Amino acid sequence: MIFYDCSTAPSPRRARMFIAEKGLSVETREVDLRNDAHRSPEFLSINPWGTVPVLVTESGQQISENVAIATYLEAAFPQPPLMGQSPEEKGSVAMWNAICEFHAGWAIAEVLRNSSPALKERALPGPVNYTQIPDLAERGAKRLGVFYETLETRLQESPWLASGDFTMADITAFVFCDFARIVKMSPPLENEATQDWFAKIRARPSATL
Ligand SMILES: N[C@@H](CCC(=O)N[C@@H](CS)C(=O)NCC(=O)O)C(=O)O
């Protein structure tokens, strides 16, 4: 397999952690987002959406999107399970993962991509340019604040986000909570359940990658 990564970006970090938690070692190629390598004809032939992560499987299938990469890896390498075991757990992992992507990941992206001078005309990832809309930065900040309240409430009642075990939903939430420092909106220090959960994940070897 070949893993297309970018060491500074949050989305490929999610896949990197998932791969590490599975105990897999995969040949990795760094894609230099800062110098637009993801918009080169060579990379667009691997992923026409121009995003990382991408996993190329042994059979040559090119899989982009974290959820798709995780779904493939969970099926191909079931141990340890990271996407739930019972039907209820699987549903819960998918639900919390989607909540974290939409209400945390995209909220942070709204802030960063609509306010950073370095991302002018790059308000959305991928090969097509989109102009920034400053109001979306303000909305993203509000959305992230609401997400942190939801996260704290959930973690006060459950040791892990989706079930009694560490899952992909924890990876997604952890990576976005950590990346939020880029927009100076890390989880509030007074959110004790969130801070304890965050420290537990930070201590895992996969979090250091
Ligand atoms: N939904 C995708 C998001 C992938 C994504 O947006 N990746 C960013 C890096 S965090 C990217 O490739 N950005 C390229 C760009 O900014 O044009 C996933 O989960 O894999």
Side-chain angles (χ1 to χ4, degrees):
M1 293 192 287
I2 301 171
F3 175 54
Y4 288 86
D5 195 359
C6 173
S7 57
T8 52
S11 295
R13 186 182 182 197
R14 290 172 57 198
R16 203 155 65 233
M17 281 184 73
F18 194 96
I19 289 168
E21 291 284 345
K22 284 283 179 192
L24 300 169
S25 158
V26 178
E27 178 186 337
T28 297
R29 298 204 183 145
E30 179 77 6
V31 181
D32 186 353
L33 296 187
R34 287 214 173 108
N35 285 311
D36 264 1
H38 60 300
R39 304 212 284 169
S40 66
E42 189 194 4
F43 187 76
L44 291 175
S45 73
I46 296 164
N47 178 14
W49 297 101
T51 56
V52 282
V54 176
L55 184 74
V56 181
T57 67
E58 291 290 356
S59 64
Q61 186 185 5
Q62 297 162 341
I63 306 177
S64 65
E65 296 296 324
N66 266 288
V67 171
I69 292 169
T71 301
Y72 169 80
L73 290 174
E74 184 88 345
F77 306 95
Q79 296 302 324
L82 292 172
M83 299 178 79
Q85 299 193 71
S86 67
E88 289 78 11
E89 278 174 358
K90 286 178 192 286
S92 185
V93 173
M95 178 183 81
W96 279 105
N97 192 67
I99 289 169
C100 295
E101 284 190 345
F102 185 61
H103 294 286
W106 282 111
I108 296 166
E110 276 181 350
V111 177
L112 179 63
R113 288 187 167 272
N114 290 289
S115 63
S116 165
L119 292 171
K120 227 170 171 47
E121 303 301 327
R122 302 291 306 137
L124 288 172
V128 179
N129 283 345
Y130 292 95
T131 304
Q132 293 179 330
I133 303 173
D135 281 352
L136 287 180
E138 200 178 317
R139 186 183 75 178
K142 182 174 175 182
R143 292 180 61 215
L144 187 58
V146 172
F147 172 77
Y148 285 150
E149 287 171 24
T150 310
L151 183 67
E152 177 65 12
T153 302
R154 173 62 179 164
L155 291 170
Q156 281 174 3
E157 66 189 24
S158 176
W160 300 108
L161 199 44
S163 76
D165 294 316
F166 174 85
T167 69
M168 177 194 190
D170 296 292
I171 294 177
T172 303
F174 171 80
V175 168
F176 289 139
C177 285
D178 201 19
F179 190 67
R181 70 184 182 283
I182 296 289
V183 293
K184 300 185 170 50
M185 278 199 69
S186 294
L189 290 176
E190 63 269 26
N191 289 9
E192 282 181 21
T194 300
Q195 295 298 339
D196 290 350
W197 161 89
F198 190 86
K200 266 193 307 186
I201 301 179
R202 199 172 35 203
R204 298 173 85 92
S206 67
T208 64
L209 299 173

Short mmCIF file of all heavy atoms in Angstrom, two decimals, residues 8 59 73 78 114 135-136 148 201:
data_model
loop_
_atom_site.label_atom_id
_atom_site.label_comp_id
_atom_site.label_asym_id
_atom_site.label_seq_id
_atom_site.Cartn_x
_atom_site.Cartn_y
_atom_site.Cartn_z
N THR A 8 1.81 18.27 8.07
CA THR A 8 1.33 19.43 8.81
C THR A 8 -0.20 19.57 8.79
O THR A 8 -0.74 20.44 9.46
CB THR A 8 1.94 20.71 8.21
OG1 THR A 8 1.69 20.70 6.80
CG2 THR A 8 3.42 20.81 8.48
N SER A 59 -4.11 -3.72 -4.41
CA SER A 59 -4.68 -4.02 -5.73
C SER A 59 -4.68 -2.78 -6.63
O SER A 59 -5.15 -2.83 -7.76
CB SER A 59 -6.11 -4.56 -5.59
OG SER A 59 -6.94 -3.55 -5.04
N LEU A 73 -9.65 -0.13 5.64
CA LEU A 73 -8.66 -0.73 6.54
C LEU A 73 -9.33 -1.59 7.61
O LEU A 73 -8.82 -2.65 7.99
CB LEU A 73 -7.80 0.35 7.20
CG LEU A 73 -6.82 1.08 6.25
CD1 LEU A 73 -6.13 2.23 6.97
CD2 LEU A 73 -5.78 0.10 5.68
N PRO A 78 -9.17 -6.30 10.56
CA PRO A 78 -10.23 -6.07 11.57
C PRO A 78 -9.72 -5.80 12.99
O PRO A 78 -10.45 -5.22 13.80
CB PRO A 78 -11.05 -7.36 11.54
CG PRO A 78 -10.66 -8.06 10.27
CD PRO A 78 -9.27 -7.62 9.94
N ASN A 114 -11.34 31.18 5.70
CA ASN A 114 -11.98 32.43 5.34
C ASN A 114 -11.36 33.65 6.01
O ASN A 114 -11.89 34.75 5.89
CB ASN A 114 -13.49 32.36 5.66
CG ASN A 114 -14.19 31.42 4.72
OD1 ASN A 114 -14.37 31.71 3.54
ND2 ASN A 114 -14.57 30.24 5.22
N ASP A 135 -17.62 36.42 6.73
CA ASP A 135 -18.69 36.06 7.67
C ASP A 135 -18.62 34.59 8.08
O ASP A 135 -19.04 34.21 9.18
CB ASP A 135 -20.07 36.32 7.04
CG ASP A 135 -20.44 37.80 7.08
OD1 ASP A 135 -19.69 38.58 7.71
OD2 ASP A 135 -21.46 38.16 6.47
N LEU A 136 -18.11 33.76 7.18
CA LEU A 136 -18.02 32.33 7.51
C LEU A 136 -16.99 32.06 8.59
O LEU A 136 -17.11 31.10 9.35
CB LEU A 136 -17.69 31.51 6.25
CG LEU A 136 -18.83 31.35 5.24
CD1 LEU A 136 -18.36 30.51 4.05
CD2 LEU A 136 -20.04 30.69 5.89
N TYR A 148 -17.61 22.34 21.33
CA TYR A 148 -16.89 22.06 22.57
C TYR A 148 -17.85 21.78 23.73
O TYR A 148 -17.56 20.95 24.60
CB TYR A 148 -15.96 23.21 22.93
CG TYR A 148 -14.70 23.29 22.07
CD1 TYR A 148 -14.08 24.50 21.80
CD2 TYR A 148 -14.13 22.13 21.53
CE1 TYR A 148 -12.93 24.57 21.03
CE2 TYR A 148 -12.98 22.19 20.76
CZ TYR A 148 -12.39 23.41 20.52
OH TYR A 148 -11.25 23.47 19.75
N ILE A 201 -5.44 10.54 25.11
CA ILE A 201 -5.12 10.24 23.70
C ILE A 201 -3.72 10.74 23.35
O ILE A 201 -2.97 10.08 22.64
CB ILE A 201 -6.18 10.85 22.75
CG1 ILE A 201 -7.56 10.28 23.10
CG2 ILE A 201 -5.83 10.55 21.29
CD1 ILE A 201 -8.69 10.82 22.26
#
